[in-house]
Amino acid sequence: MKNSANSSAQSAAALMDDKRTRLNIDFIGKRKIYYTISISLILIGILVSVIFGVKLSIAFTGGAIFKYSYTGDVDKNAAQTVVYDTVNANRTNKLKVSTQTDVIKDTNTNRLVFSVSPEKGGEKFSISSTEQQAIKTALQTKFKDNKIDISETRNVNADMGSAFLRKSILAVLLASALIVLYIWIRFRTIGGLPAGLTAFVALLHDVMMAFAAFSIFRIPLDDNFIAVVLTILGFSINDTIVIYDRIRENRRLYGSKVHFKDIVNKSINQSFARSVNTTLCAFFAIAVICVFSIIYNLDSIRSFALPMMVGVITGCYSTICIAGPLWVTWVTHKEKLAEAAKQNKKKLSPKKA
Amino acid sequence: MYRKVGKPVLFLVILCIAAITYLAYFGLWTSNGDVVTYLINPISKSRFGIDINGGIDVTFTPPKGTKVTQKELDDATTMLKNRLDAKKILDREVYEGKDLNNPSITLRIPHQSSTTTFDPETEIKELGSMVQLVFKCPEYNNGADIITGKDVQSAAVEVQSGSYQVSLTLKSSGTKAFADATKWIHDNSKKLSIYLDNVEVETAGVDNEITDGKAVISGGFTATTAKALAEKINSGSVPFELVTDNFSTISPTLGKSALRVMVTAGLLAFIIICLFMIVYYRLPGLIACIALCGHVAGTLLAISWPQITLTLPGIAGIILSIGMGVDCNVITAERIKEELRVGKTLDGAIDAGFDRSFTAIFDGNVTVIIVGIILMWLGSGSVQSFGYTLIIGVVFNFIMGIIASRLMLKSVSKYSPARRDALYSGRVAE
């Protein structure tokens, strides 16, 4: 190693002269801007979810969705009436049915999509397989020439749904805790706790952004949301670790003579190209999936790919603009406190100064 | 291990990757006349989940508020498995929910390619049907059950004077009770009633005390219904009613179309990423592409060989792990660029690049493993598959992205045309 760590002549200027990278952006200096952007976006996300309500998919609330393929022309309203009558034949707590159509582009198949939910919101209900059979038979009878056939159905028992929701939240918390613990341990030589905590804040930031993405695009939260959140956690922390690793290395190299702020800044600059390129590659991968899923109407994949795309970008952003700068804020703040304490000590015992 | 990496190593590694790719695509098989047996399954013979093959995902629960013991849950699970065996449905997933306060049994059955119609409701109904078999007499013991399905050893179809019957052989537990009951009924000239799922199917007088533990149910059976009933009785009695209000079904045509789309997406993503890597990182980028090929092939093989279920999110996981897997090549290539800029020799830069980047790559991948494990623990079938492909992706990332890449890069750098710095850093060394 040419730039030896033991040379006390190393100064911030010499550090900046390092030819390792030509990039020299002051990320740390602009950190207040980044904090503002992030907080605003998260607030928008929260606002949207408060105003328009958080849509939970039937995976969490319980409910039923039936999709039938058909040929020719079918009167949507007539179909809806058939389903409504069949489903409510033996019920006191009436269910309401909403109908849409969609198309499977790949095979050019038209489909009727029936969503069943309770008329009184929040009421638990369930559709048995016998009822589903009755619905199919009723539709096939009414629309004899339209070749009505099952394409896709989903029935979730409400209790199963809420159990699953609990499990999902638990999983996210567990993953976060494990990851933070891991960072704490791996980076304990350079102050594990602030490293772990700032990484955690960056993760939290990403989860909130993913949530905001789901809210703004009006995608119901379902089991894909959980997979997305967990994957973003894994991916974002990956990014963060690479920068922390660089900070650790530079810390070792340049000793504590160079201010932490400059070390972090330099480290971010050095890892910038890598962060961007990796994010770009992951983005390509998920963007292709997303575009295909939108074109070909693969709902389940789209609800997974779109927020993931957002998450990949925010993962990169949170690493570069949030995690590192936050750590610097922490350290600077602690220094200010220590300095203030020293000043107080001097005032209290002037003779010792 | 990396000290003396000679020129031939490059070709050895490429050969290995080619071999893995071949296996992943074609598999390894022997043929015996017309019968082809696969020793290693290629990706086309993967075990696909129901979102690709079509099929049923159903969770059976006891009626709300019913308390169920672990043994009863296990019995019900065995019974369901028996029924699936009887229907020759061998490719399936059956598992019990872990929480005994919310007992459940989940079945996942892909669509059988042998059947042409897709009738999930009937299949679910048949699987979950009760077959509560009860013999009783209202006057005997206040109408308490004399024999239930639990006391039946086996059931068989018999033809008696042109009509079909189901004959039952009772276990020793039931033989005595049956003998006592039939004696009483005979003596008192009462009638014995047989109930199937709470519906009375037969009532008959008893000619004499039945001590040999054999009973017969006749009553308008056809060959098919008699066989169905015998099968159901044989597969075991149901300790509790199976409620089916939690299920999904997917038609086979829908699934196939989704698969086509995802595969195309994957190919496109692969091509885009490779182009990017080659353009931006040149020689290390090219090596990265070869390594990526190995990564994908290895992942596919790791899924198809052990016949792990592959679902659409699983495929998304593979594609994602391509994007994330290329990361280690990016880190390394950037590092090599840096070391060259600082003035190292080519060989020194390559070594330093790989050495320095290892810790960062390692830590990053461990966290993905943590996430993958949690996803496998938490998820339902489709999300589990995603967790699995993420983890496999990381493993092959280590093998291909770190080890193979390093071997290839060191080896190729021994060739003189490859010794220009510009190929590694995009600029002439300063």
Side-chain angles (χ1 to χ4, degrees):
Chain A
M1 289 295 304
K2 287 196 174 162
N3 301 318
S4 161
N6 295 320
S7 168
S8 58
Q10 280 294 338
S11 63
L15 178 52
M16 292 306 175
D17 257 356
D18 186 317
K19 293 205 208 87
R20 284 177 177 275
T21 174
R22 296 180 310 172
L23 199 64
N24 211 340
I25 304 176
D26 184 11
F27 288 104
I28 304 299
K30 297 200 172 59
R31 61 187 185 276
K32 296 248 164 62
I33 301 180
Y34 307 139
Y35 298 162
T36 319
I37 296 178
S38 293
I39 295 181
S40 326
L41 282 172
I42 292 177
L43 278 178
I44 293 179
I46 296 181
L47 223 65
V48 169
S49 59
V50 162
I51 295 177
F52 294 103
V54 176
K55 248 172 124 196
L56 287 176
S57 91
I58 60 173
F60 292 129
T61 58
I65 294 185
F66 304 105
K67 300 187 188 178
Y68 294 97
S69 59
Y70 66 94
T71 55
D73 285 311
V74 166
D75 179 2
K76 250 172 61 175
N77 290 324
Q80 179 166 314
T81 317
V82 168
V83 177
Y84 182 86
D85 290 336
T86 317
V87 152
N88 284 313
N90 295 320
R91 277 172 201 277
T92 40
N93 295 328
K94 295 287 176 203
L95 299 171
K96 62 174 192 263
V97 179
S98 64
T99 315
Q100 285 161 311
T101 50
D102 70 11
V103 182
I104 305 176
K105 289 264 174 34
D106 199 37
T107 50
N108 232 350
T109 317
N110 291 315
R111 293 195 302 187
L112 283 164
V113 179
F114 300 105
S115 307
V116 181
S117 51
E119 247 161 39
K120 267 201 225 128
E123 281 252 336
K124 290 195 185 162
F125 76 101
S126 43
I127 306 253
S128 67
S129 57
T130 323
E131 282 184 279
Q132 185 177 303
Q133 195 159 28
I135 296 175
K136 183 171 91 172
T137 318
L139 281 170
Q140 282 173 333
T141 317
K142 172 98 181 162
F143 300 100
K144 276 200 205 39
D145 300 319
N146 293 97
K147 286 218 213 130
I148 301 230
D149 231 333
I150 292 191
S151 177
E152 196 181 339
T153 66
R154 191 143 186 220
N155 284 274
V156 180
N157 171 304
D159 290 325
M160 302 240 144
S162 43
F164 182 64
L165 181 61
R166 277 197 302 275
K167 215 170 160 196
S168 304
I169 296 177
L170 185 62
V172 173
L173 290 173
L174 184 63
S176 312
L178 285 175
I179 289 174
V180 169
L181 191 66
Y182 183 74
I183 295 197
W184 190 341
I185 296 175
R186 287 293 280 170
F187 292 92
R188 62 186 179 280
T189 48
I190 46 172
L193 183 56
L197 284 182
T198 52
F200 179 69
V201 172
L203 286 187
L204 209 59
H205 167 273
D206 291 329
V207 173
M208 304 258 34
M209 291 293 222
F211 176 75
F214 268 84
S215 277
I216 295 175
F217 289 113
R218 306 311 294 144
I219 300 175
L221 303 182
D222 62 358
D223 36 359
N224 279 338
F225 175 67
I226 301 303
V228 167
V229 167
L230 288 171
T231 311
I232 293 176
L233 288 186
F235 183 74
S236 169
I237 205 67
N238 195 337
D239 230 16
T240 311
I241 285 180
V242 169
I243 291 194
Y244 282 15
D245 179 78
R246 191 57 90 105
I247 295 176
R248 173 172 52 188
E249 182 185 330
N250 283 338
R251 188 54 170 262
R252 226 180 295 157
L253 237 56
Y254 299 112
S256 36
K257 293 290 182 176
V258 182
H259 196 279
F260 190 63
K261 164 155 95 48
D262 297 316
I263 290 186
V264 173
N265 219 0
K266 191 65 182 170
S267 308
I268 297 180
N269 275 295
Q270 284 172 339
S271 346
F272 187 78
R274 175 257 157 205
S275 283
V276 168
N277 285 341
T278 299
T279 303
L280 220 52
C281 285
F283 182 79
F284 287 146
I286 201 74
V288 167
I289 299 176
C290 190
V291 166
F292 273 66
S293 69
I294 292 178
I295 295 179
Y296 288 96
N297 238 327
L298 293 174
D299 275 344
S300 61
I301 301 294
R302 185 195 56 197
S303 76
F304 166 90
L306 195 52
M308 185 79 87
M309 253 173 57
V310 174
V312 161
I313 298 176
T314 65
C316 179
Y317 168 79
S318 76
T319 306
I320 294 177
C321 304
I322 304 289
L326 214 54
W327 194 351
V328 170
T329 306
W330 172 299
V331 168
T332 345
H333 187 68
K334 269 180 85 180
E335 282 179 354
K336 281 206 191 106
L337 287 178
E339 191 55 43
K342 240 208 285 187
Q343 291 297 344
N344 277 336
K345 257 194 179 167
K346 278 191 185 159
K347 281 195 203 136
L348 291 174
S349 43
K351 297 207 186 95
K352 282 192 182 161
Chain B
M1 167 176 157
Y2 298 108
R3 253 185 200 236
K4 301 203 168 182
V5 175
K7 287 185 183 178
V9 172
L10 176 69
F11 296 107
L12 277 175
V13 175
I14 293 184
L15 205 61
C16 285
I17 291 179
I20 296 178
T21 312
Y22 173 85
L23 280 177
Y25 198 74
F26 294 103
L28 199 63
W29 45 268
T30 58
S31 61
N32 202 343
D34 271 339
V35 177
V36 176
T37 352
Y38 281 96
L39 295 160
I40 298 179
N41 293 299
I43 193 65
S44 51
K45 295 256 174 291
S46 271
R47 185 186 182 191
F48 290 112
I50 60 171
D51 53 358
I52 295 177
N53 268 336
I56 306 168
D57 179 329
V58 54
T59 304
F60 294 109
T61 50
K64 204 160 178 174
T66 316
K67 284 247 166 271
V68 160
T69 64
Q70 183 63 51
K71 176 152 194 327
E72 287 177 322
L73 197 64
D74 292 337
D75 284 345
T77 309
T78 315
M79 185 275 299
L80 286 167
K81 285 190 184 159
N82 289 339
R83 286 193 184 164
L84 289 169
D85 286 337
K87 285 172 180 285
K88 301 256 184 309
I89 298 176
L90 302 168
D91 178 12
R92 73 228 182 176
E93 287 172 46
V94 182
Y95 58 91
E96 296 171 18
K98 296 186 193 65
D99 180 8
L100 212 55
N101 291 322
N102 288 313
S104 67
I105 305 172
T106 305
L107 247 62
R108 227 166 267 135
I109 309 167
H111 175 69
Q112 303 298 297
S113 45
S114 49
T115 51
T116 43
T117 52
F118 180 57
D119 191 2
E121 296 95 355
T122 311
E123 288 189 56
I124 295 178
K125 213 155 134 202
E126 283 182 5
L127 283 169
S129 64
M130 287 250 288
V131 197
Q132 279 285 48
L133 178 67
V134 171
F135 282 59
K136 59 184 174 190
C137 166
E139 291 85 12
Y140 178 72
N141 258 346
N142 284 324
D145 299 342
I146 303 169
I147 301 282
T148 64
K150 289 201 198 87
D151 303 305
V152 175
Q153 174 84 7
S154 64
V157 178
E158 277 182 4
V159 186
Q160 192 84 292
S161 13
S163 60
Y164 289 91
Q165 304 171 7
V166 176
S167 71
L168 307 171
T169 309
L170 299 176
K171 294 182 191 161
S172 47
S173 61
T175 310
K176 175 141 194 348
F178 199 52
D180 291 342
T182 45
K183 183 172 188 332
W184 187 93
I185 295 174
H186 168 72
D187 291 342
N188 289 280
S189 301
K190 295 290 180 199
K191 289 209 192 312
L192 180 65
S193 300
I194 304 178
Y195 289 81
L196 220 53
D197 289 339
N198 290 328
V199 172
E200 193 178 322
V201 290
E202 197 186 333
T203 307
V206 177
D207 293 331
N208 37 37
E209 181 189 359
I210 301 178
T211 48
D212 60 355
K214 285 209 190 308
V216 164
I217 313 174
S218 54
F221 287 112
T222 63
T224 328
T225 53
K227 182 161 176 296
L229 179 60
E231 266 175 18
K232 281 188 196 148
I233 296 178
N234 278 330
S235 58
S237 67
V238 187
F240 51 86
E241 181 188 347
L242 294 170
V243 174
T244 55
D245 60 1
N246 199 82
F247 56 96
S248 329
T249 61
I250 298 182
S251 87
T253 45
L254 181 67
K256 286 284 180 306
S257 132
L259 179 63
R260 275 196 295 274
V261 170
M262 289 300 277
V263 169
T264 319
L267 279 170
L268 190 60
F270 186 81
I271 293 173
I272 293 179
I273 292 178
C274 277
L275 281 173
F276 175 79
M277 287 299 283
I278 294 178
V279 165
Y280 198 90
Y281 289 113
R282 303 166 188 227
L283 191 55
L286 183 60
I287 300 290
C289 290
I290 303 176
L292 210 57
C293 198
H295 173 147
V296 174
T299 310
L300 291 178
L301 206 54
I303 292 172
S304 61
W305 191 353
Q307 292 282 284
I308 307 281
T309 309
L310 181 62
T311 63
L312 286 174
I315 298 180
I318 297 177
I319 301 178
L320 192 61
S321 72
I322 296 178
M324 289 163 71
V326 86
D327 179 35
C328 64
N329 292 98
V330 169
I331 297 181
T332 319
E334 281 292 330
R335 206 64 208 239
I336 293 177
K337 243 189 189 172
E338 251 181 67
E339 301 292 340
L340 281 175
R341 242 186 242 130
V342 179
K344 283 213 166 58
T345 62
L346 184 62
D347 293 322
I350 292 178
D351 280 330
F354 278 103
D355 283 330
R356 288 295 134 58
S357 43
F358 184 74
T359 49
I361 298 173
F362 181 78
D363 286 333
N365 280 315
V366 165
T367 55
V368 174
I369 291 183
I370 292 177
V371 167
I373 293 177
I374 293 181
L375 280 171
M376 288 187 74
W377 160 73
L378 151 88
S380 59
S382 51
V383 173
Q384 259 178 340
S385 176
F386 177 71
Y388 181 76
T389 52
L390 274 189
I391 294 178
I392 294 286
V394 165
V395 169
F396 278 96
N397 201 21
F398 276 121
I399 300 176
M400 293 294 163
I402 299 182
I403 300 176
S405 294
R406 187 165 187 174
L407 289 173
M408 282 194 284
L409 199 60
K410 278 201 70 90
S411 169
V412 85
S413 63
K414 298 274 191 298
Y415 291 85
S416 23
R419 289 196 74 80
R420 288 162 38 224
D421 281 3
L423 284 175
Y424 300 82
S425 65
R427 63 181 49 76
V428 182
E430 284 149 27

